[in-house]
Structure formats: structure tokens, C-alpha cells
Amino acid sequence: MNRKDLLGLRGVSREEITEILDTAERFRNVSERKIKKVPTLRGRTVVTFFMENSTRTRLSFDLAAKRLSADTLGFSASSSATKKGETLMDTARNIDAMKPDAIIIRHSAAGSPHMLAKAFPWAVINAGDGINEHPSQALLDMLTMRDHLGSLEGKTVAIVGDVYHSRVARSNIYGLTTMGAKVVVAGPGTMCPPSMSHLGVEVRHTIDEVVEDADVIMMLRIQRERLQPGMMSTVNEYSRFYGLDLDRLRKAKPNVVVMHPGPINRGVEMSPEVADGEQSVILEQVTNGVAVRMALLYLLLGGEPMGGDEHGS
Amino acid sequence: MAVETIILSGGRIVCPSTGTDLVADVLIQDGRIAAIGGEATGATGRTLDCSGAIVAPGFTDLGAELCDPGKSWREDLASGSEAGAAGGFTTVVCSPRTDPVVDNPVAVAELLARAAQVSGARVEVAGALTLGLEGQGMSELGLMAGAGAVAFSDGRKSMMNAALVRRSLDYARPFGRPVFLRPANTDLEGAGVMHEGEVSAQVGLRGMPAAAEEIGVATAIAMARLTGARVHLSQVTTANSVAQLRSAANEGLSVSAAAPARHLFLTDREVDASVYDTSTRLLPPLRSERDRVALVAAVMDGTVSCVTADHVPMTSLEKEMEYMLAKPGAMGLETALAATLTATNDPVSAVRALAVGPAAVLGRTADLAVGSVADVVVFSAEGTHEVAGPFRSKGLNEPLLGHTLSGRVLLTVRDGCIIYGPLDG
């Protein structure tokens, strides 16, 4: 893959996505071994720079870097200098002075990873910027879908919930449409405004309209921290109209794949029976997350070539 | 600054006020236009060859933020005046959005006293419509007019209280100064940082719908109808705003408006193309291509009688940060002509919108008539150039940087003194 950064899946080609997913598949078995480490990125420094809370994504990137033998160090909002009034660019200049190889950034402002990518020589991986993109999440989602469906070409993926405020949805929409899948979104009018159709998806307003034809149902988390007044009425009404429960799931294809990027609001987006049910692949998504992030670091940092036997699947 | 006898030789005189469009020499003497053609030819004085260039009345901007006092790292009266001169402006009305706010006669007088020292464009003062620009209590409009304020404005602040807008218009009328309003519903603008549309959906930034501006235009038109007062809208940018203005004009209402020059050339695509460059973060935001086309047409047919530089200079302190945290605004004085001329491809429209329209809002005539004050700009409308610094302004936020435009100011004369140039045409 010939890029310095991964800022989003918008504009990333089908060949590049395939290369990332194929590489991730080959890395997957590293995590199955007793000694879960390969020397691929020995001596390289990967910084996780999280200006918004995260558990899963930060741990996943951290683990991915460590399993490739990179040195890692973490900045987070609570420990960072931002609280003392330092600008993002000044913090980044300081990190730059420590000669990192890659920075994984999460930030509440869309475009922040792009700003760093333009200004600095190291690789930037966007781990979520505002409501814009979260490409590694979409890649691990696509890897999980591919595991279950084979190809993504011609498949129908329903994304349900607060699509407008979801960077996970945006990245999935870009990636999936590039891979030839059809994406249908559903949610309250405030969270699935007509403008979403600019992204090449079909916009629906009831969950029942999208469940029946879907090969994949991706439920999004209600992000209370991003909601402005008047975006929804009550959690109860939301759950009644847009929650996935067993009754609704019964109308879906028998082999439908149910996904959620986590963390789940149990009983809101999906009932516990669905979250823990046999169609749910939520924990596979987490496992694939480490492999996808290993692949991204490997491809962007140009690690040592992988020997077929050593890492191959 | 020295008053000279100047002969502008061989240029194309474009003066929409007098309907002049011909190639002739212009004689400038004792700060006034002394002759056009005839005795101008062969007069003795400093002769400047203007052949191939356009000679027009100097431009007027109705709302530049010169940030002085209070934020003079961004701009001050001197640098703003020089930037204006470099852009062909002979008059720049500075916005009251300073620190402290220019909302009383002492502040107006103090600013005007300092403005008398500048050596570029003439700097005039708009007084704040409401105290502290807070949209609550009315400022001393009459006393500020007496101290020399040429207009009343709350700058970039939009007055949401229709009752107060009404009273402001009624109250300001006897003082004979225009009232400038920024048309906007700030609730609907909300947390938006760019135009709401296809691009905002694509780049994941919160949008401000065009309707937020259009509601403001509707309110202003309704208030003009109610009070019979003159209203000037300091920035309009959408197709529907233009449609409303056209209908208000047909109704005979006195509502004038200005289009920001860069909005005639750039669209919301620029946010994406520049990869979240914070100099594209503007208020009002860059709009869709459809809006842009409607705005250009409105400037050309006179529905929108003014183009404004919409000059809001900023530095890395305000702009080197996350897109949604960067302060909105961009420089404009030094690129307004080029953006307008490139978009309209018509020097007559450009002169009408940059010189004649804004002067008329102040109740003045911008012309090149014998006896008029010699406020003159000479510019080239041929060829193209890539917008590049350094700029006279202290600002660093120019979204047109790197774009190829036509229209280059070669000479600016104010009160018969050369304040910029001459550059070689």
C-alpha cells in the first residue's frame, strides 16, 4: 500500500482495502499462538494519542503494535498538555521531536488527523475524528463480514441508528460501497437526515424496512455525548422504534450477521438476547480489530517482509 | 502621502455612475479629477502609462475588521489601510467589533483621530448598533453619528430579536446613517462550521443550512417593509437570499446587500479540496455551486449591489488548530477585485459592485467626473496570476491562496495621492 497515512476510507481503493484485509487475515494467527509476538516492527515507535475517551480502540491499537514488537507510548486527554492550554499542533511538535514512526489519533474535531498528516512526516492513523471517520473500525467490520459472507460484492448491509453522528457508519459506508456492497441506513429523521443519501446509501426510517433484505445488520450506539437538544425524545421510544430484538430479528434472513461497534447500550440498540445470540459476531469484531490494526501498522510502516510460514495462515 | 499632479494616460475609463466607458487620459490635480481627455492629454505632471488597464473609481468596503484596538496582532489601522490600498480600496469602513467595542461617541472620535494618520485607504468608522454588540441595549447612535460614524452595525453578530431590529431601524433613521445587519438565525446555524449539504455530509463536519441565512434575509425584508427604513445586509450568500432580494426590489423596498467576493469564486468543495484548511472556515460559510452561480448573476444584474472583501484577518493564533475550533473568517481586501473579476469576467460589473454600490449605501457617489475627489484605482483585467503573499495585511488566512485569478491592482490614488503602486501592467 503506497500511502503515508490512513485518514479515512473515503478515496481508498478496492485494491487497497483488499490488501489490508488479506494482510489482516495473515496476521490473525499471531494472536492464536502461545508467544503472541513477531519482530516485524522492532525498533519502531508507535504513539497512541487519544484526545477522547476510548478503551477498545486504544487497547486494540496498543496490542497490535506490541504484537509487532513496536515500542508504544500513549498520550490521553487526561495526561496531555492540552488541559494546560497547549494547542494540538504544539503537542504534535513535541511528539515529533521524540521521533515517532506512527501516530494513532482520536480527536473530537473532524479533520484533526488530516492536519497532523499534512504537517508531519510520520504515519497518521485516524482512530476516530469527530463525526467524520473511524477507518480501522470499518476495516475490522468488513473483515468480519468477509469471514461470514465471503465476498462483500452485491451484499446488503443495513446500518441502523444514529448514522449522522457516527464515524463508524461513515467509514463503513465509504468502504462498503467501494467494495460493491449496498448500504441501507435507517434511524430517526434527525439521525438519518436526507443528506445522508449524498454518501451513496439508501435512507429509510423504520428498522422493519431494512431488516428483511439485509445480509448484515449493524446496530449503532446512541452517542449521548454528541446529541444536541431535540435529536430524539426518549430512550424508550428510540428502543421501541429502532431497537433490534428477537421479534424483529426473526423477520431477517436466517443467516444474517448482527454487528455492533461497541460499547453496547444493552436494551437500547439491541436486546440482550440479540447481543448474546448466535447471529451476533460482536466479539469476533473485537478479535479482528487487533489483526486489522496490525495489518495497518505493517503496511504503513513498511515492516520486514512476512515469511510465509512464520506468519502465514 | 503627497498630492501630485498625475496624468493617467491611455487607460480604459470605466465609470458606471456617469456611464463612461472609453479610452482617455485622466488628469488629477489638487486632489481632484481635473480633466478627462481634452486638456488631460499633454498636461504636465507625473504621467503614468495605463494603456491596456482599466481606470475606475476607487473601491469602498463597508465592513472590514481592522481589529484595532484590542487585537492588533491580527490587524491595525495602518496595516488594514495599506491592505485596502493594495486591493484598490480608497475607503474602508471598519467594523465596530474591536476590544473595547466602538459603541460610544468617544470611541468613534478617538478612532477617527487615529485613522487620520493612515497612509493607505481612508478609514471610516461604523458604530455599534447595540452596546457591546450584545444585541440588547441601543448605543448612542445620534452622538456617534455626530462624532463621525458613517453607519451602524453589529458586525458579525446577528441580531435575533426582531423587536430590537425594528426599534433600531426606527431610531437610526433620523440620523441619516444606514444600518447594516448580518442576516442569520443563529439557533439554526447551531454548532455548524460549514455549509450544510453534500460536502458537509462527506467530510463529517456539522453544517449550517442555507435556511439560517434566508430566515435572516426574510426578517430584514419584513422589517424594511414595516419601518420604511433603509436596510443593508452585510453578507448574503445563497440563491434563495438573492431571490428574496429580487422580490423586495420589485416591491420597491430599500434593501441593499453585499456578497463576499470570495463567495463568488469558491464553494464548499474548497473545504474538502484544501483538506480542512481552516482559512476556509468562514461566516457565512462557502456555499454550494448553485448558490455561487446565483450570487454571481445577482451581482451582475445589480440585485446584489455590493461586493464586500469581508475582511477578517487572523493569524496562526486563531487558525492553526482543529477545524471546528478555528475562528471563522478570512482576509479579503487584497483579493476582492481578483475574485470578483474572475467570477464575473466583467470589469464593469466588478467596478459597479466594488465602488458604486457600496458608496451608494453610504449616500455617496463613486465616479470619475471632473471635479470629483480623486479616488481612483487602475487595474489590469487581462492575464492571470496565482494568488500569493506577502500581503500588506497582518492576516495569514487567505483561502484564495494558490488559486489562479485574473484582475490585478496596479495603482491606487486617494485624494489625489498615490497610496499603492504604480506596478508595471
Side-chain angles (χ1 to χ4, degrees), chain B residues 131-154:
Chain B
L131 287 168
L133 305 176
E134 282 170 1
Q136 304 288 332
M138 191 105 61
S139 306
E140 293 174 332
L141 303 186
L143 292 176
M144 287 197 291
V150 297
F152 305 122
S153 153
D154 269 359

Side-chain angles (χ1 to χ4, degrees), chain A residues 10 93 107 118 132 170 174, chain B residues 201-203 272 320 322:
Chain A
R10 180 160 171 244
R93 286 184 184 109
H107 197 293
K118 274 198 277 188
N132 184 35
R170 232 179 221 86
Y174 288 129
Chain B
Q202 286 169 341
V203 301
D272 190 22
E320 189 187 74
E322 299 87 323

